[in-house]
Amino acid sequence: MHEHRDYEGAKIGMWLFLFTEVLLFGGLFLLYAVYLHRYPAEFHAAGKDLSRIFGTANTIVLITSSLCMALAISALQRGKVVLSQRLVLLTVTMAGVFLVNKFFEWSAKIGHGIYPDSPALLKLPPGEMVFFNLYYLMTGLHGIHVIIGAAVLMYGWHLMRVGRVTPEHFVFLENGGLYWHLVDLVWIYLFPLFYLVV
Amino acid sequence: MSADAHDHPNFFQPLPGTKGGIASWIFSTDHKRIGMLYLYCIVAMFLVGLTLGFLIRLELIAPGRTIMGQQTYNALFTLHGVVMIFLVVIPSIPAAFGNIFLPIQIGAEDVSFPRLNIFSWWLYVTGAVLAVVSLVTGKGAPDTGWTFYVPFSAVTTTNVDVAVVAVFILGFSSILTGLNFITTLHRLRAPGMTWTRLPLFCWSLYATGWIQVLATPVLGITVLLIFVERVLGVGLFDPSRGGDPILYQHLFWIYSHPAVYIMILPAMGVISEILPVFARKPIFGYKMIAFSSLAIAFAGSLVWAHHMFVSGMSDTAVMVFSFLTFVVAIPSAIKVFNWVSTLYKGSIRVEPPLWYALAFIFLFSIGGLTGLVLGAAGTDVHVHDTYFVVAHFHYVIFGGLGFGLFGAMHYWFPKVYGRMYNKRIANWSCLIAFVGFNILYFPMFILGLQGMPRRYYDYLPKYAEGHFISTMGSWVLAAGLLLMFWNLWRGIRHGKPVGRNPWGGATLEWTVPSPPPHHNFEAEPVVTHGPYDYTGVKPDA
Ligand code: HEM
Ligand SMILES: [Cu+2]
């Protein structure tokens, strides 16, 4: 068995996979669009309940992490493996910050009794119920992607450590980075839809 | 064993220096072994689905209770649908024969991502096991129909959760196969294998791959939504919580209509391989056939709402979707005309694969034409959710994909096993299955026009005759299929050995030994002519 490496092929595969992720979220964005069209006033009212401070903080964290990731890849390509490893760790740390932040945000809402199927939620007008259900679903699914992305990046870090990702063979890390940019991108759409719609 | 076979063991034999055994199969990254794993699983699941269908038919032989109660009946038709659609027809030709032959047909050693390939088989097996688990755990087998329509699927106490997770995993498996094929076709074609020298089977897999990648994620999110709707009470499709059940139908069909092209396009690819070989003539309109695959993939993505004409859309939407549905018929018709033209004035050699291909053309044409009846909003309102629909999709899916799959099995059998089945029995089983098929499904058109609704456990006496004939047909069909499988099984063990090219095909797979060796080609082939250029190609058996 000889190993064959096909840089272009690996990239094509990754881009196709990213398409499927976009479409997965696309289904939810479609629902969001239809319901926003149906309940503009309720979405407006419910959106006010979300903390713009948390949302903005998380947006900044994610965008910065994306930048770190891009720097990590260019560092690796220029042969600076240690720097690249550090930048990857920084990225993953920021993923952690994002999740902790999200955890507090969700806890606060849940503390107020607002979560799917909760008695308090069921008393709200239908449009607001839909808003919060979508909020939990979309940010929840996004959160799962943050976790997966962080795990992938950690694995990339491990591969650098054992010398399987190197300045010559960096496609794994590059694809992991692409995935991370997608996670970031999805958030950049979620943020205005939920926090700024008011 | 000859010295040659020792240096180049075929892919059934262990690689030199290894012991083989089951692990060398289920962890294999060889596309041929993975394809075979799929093939055996799919045949097994087909037999399960066949048995379920047979039992449903038996229950319907006479009005009233015959062999089972209502709840069992609901569970059986749901399972029959889930097994047939998600476990048999969607993976069937691409995952089994696509895996085995796509790399060989383009002169490659393997697919682009061999490890992803075996991973997607593992996902398939996981999904299949979960689907079976959903039967025997929880509070009874799912009874929603394979479409999992809300609101019923959100409230029924049966084991829908496990079933939708199974579907999600199967969808993921399908995505990875499609992604792998697209990349492989872009990257690993041998020197000289230009896009216009690509066998049409590969073209059809290319179009299929795009649908798998672009449509399946929508199914993923849809079944995920059912899951959270049930488990967490997120009422996105529940009107009492501001949701809208019609949106479920939109999301579901945005995937599931294109999915019927995932089912049928690869079968069309198989037919396009078989016909020219047995007519000894280049296929008529190569470019039109290749192009029409892409056109079907594209236009087919725009017609989903023809499943929803009666569910309360605006009249404008109904007109638009009705029109678009008619548009998809054009590329399908182009293919049929090209196939028939290929046969015209060919020097036809009648062999079993050709019979299956002809059965395909006949049955698919009936299915396609009756599809127009359903696509026209006016007539659809009359026959919606009646047996007319059941007849239509069995003609398309079973008559099309099913007979395409059987055709593929007979066409590539000698290549895979290096042996030949009994051709006379193969012809007979094709004929019996074909006759049985028509007795089984044709009466359903009439029942549907008379108003017999689908998925009903019981019916009025006026439908009794049609149902009785149909059940008779199911026995004939089952007999034909069992004969076919038995014959193939016997061929694997006792068939007459054959050489490289028993049919005289001009595509690359016929230039390698039968069965192919582990790495397919002794040296990377250089392609100098098209796939249907038979000058100088002679059958060797
Ligand atoms: C490739 C082969 C087949 C495929 C893909 C297939 C697929 C399907 C699907 C998708 C359904 C719809 C289930 C639903 O509406 O919930 C269905 C229903 C049914 N099938 Fe099949 N089937 C196949 C073969 C058979 C066979 C061999 C038989 C009989 C021997 C059979 C008998 C039935 C019956 C009686 C129904 C119930 C129709 C209803 O009441 O809605 N099918 N099939
Ligand atoms: Cu359709």
Side-chain angles (χ1 to χ4, degrees), chain A residues 24, chain B residues 217-227 237 248 251-252 255:
Chain A
L24 184 81
Chain B
V218 184
L219 176 76
I221 194 68
T222 311
V223 293
L224 219 56
L225 284 168
I226 296 268
F227 188 77
F237 301 127
Y248 173 83
L251 284 181
F252 181 82
Y255 165 76

Side-chain angles (χ1 to χ4, degrees), chain A residues 2 6 8-10 12-13 16-17 20 23-24 28 30-31 34-35 38-39 116-117 122 126 129-130 133-134 137, chain B residues 109 112-113 172 175 179 182-183 187 210 213-214 217 221 225 228 232-236 240-244 247 251:
Chain A
H2 61 95
D6 177 9
E8 290 281 318
I12 294 178
L16 288 172
F17 180 69
T20 72
L23 287 159
L24 184 81
L28 290 173
L30 202 66
L31 286 183
V34 173
Y35 287 128
R38 194 166 301 175
Y39 307 111
D117 214 21
L122 293 178
M129 267 194 264
V130 169
N133 282 329
L134 278 172
L137 257 178
Chain B
E109 189 173 294
S112 273
F113 309 115
F172 202 28
I175 288 178
L179 185 156
I182 295 176
T183 314
R187 298 297 304 161
W210 277 109
V213 166
L214 297 180
I221 194 68
L225 284 168
V228 292
L232 303 177
V234 177
L236 282 181
S240 73
R241 294 170 187 205
D244 183 348
L247 283 178
L251 284 181

Side-chain angles (χ1 to χ4, degrees), chain B residues 253 256-258 260-261 300 303-307 325 392:
Chain B
W253 287 110
S256 293
H257 187 83
V260 309
Y261 301 110
V303 302
W304 73 89
H306 62 204
H307 297 267
T325 303
H392 155 72

Side-chain angles (χ1 to χ4, degrees), chain B residues 350-383:
Chain B
V350 190
E351 300 273 12
L354 184 67
W355 282 121
Y356 282 98
L358 295 178
F360 170 100
I361 297 179
F362 181 84
L363 299 174
F364 176 76
S365 301
I366 295 184
L369 290 172
T370 52
L372 290 177
V373 176
L374 297 168
T379 41
D380 179 65
V381 170
H382 181 61
V383 292

Side-chain angles (χ1 to χ4, degrees), chain A residues 79-191:
Chain A
K80 301 183 180 158
V81 181
V82 177
L83 177 65
S84 174
Q85 277 182 305
R86 286 196 187 136
L87 284 164
V88 170
L89 282 184
L90 197 60
T91 310
V92 175
T93 313
M94 278 190 258
V97 173
F98 178 91
L99 288 172
V100 170
N101 209 344
K102 195 87 230 161
F103 172 77
F104 283 121
E105 194 190 339
W106 272 32
S107 311
K109 275 256 117 13
I110 293 171
H112 286 105
I114 303 281
Y115 54 91
D117 214 21
S118 71
L121 186 72
L122 293 178
K123 283 208 226 37
L124 294 177
E128 293 193 25
M129 267 194 264
V130 169
F131 180 88
F132 283 115
N133 282 329
L134 278 172
Y135 164 74
Y136 277 108
L137 257 178
M138 295 178 83
T139 57
L141 190 65
H142 177 260
I144 293 174
H145 280 78
V146 171
I147 295 172
I148 296 172
V152 170
L153 295 186
M154 271 320 284
Y155 188 62
W157 177 82
H158 167 76
L159 292 182
M160 282 199 265
R161 210 171 45 116
V162 298
R164 300 236 317 271
V165 165
T166 61
E168 290 78 40
H169 300 296
F170 48 77
V171 73
F172 182 91
L173 197 72
E174 205 179 19
N175 279 344
L178 278 178
Y179 188 82
W180 193 250
H181 297 320
L182 177 87
V183 171
D184 184 29
L185 188 72
V186 170
W187 180 259
I188 289 175
Y189 280 96
L190 291 181
F191 177 58

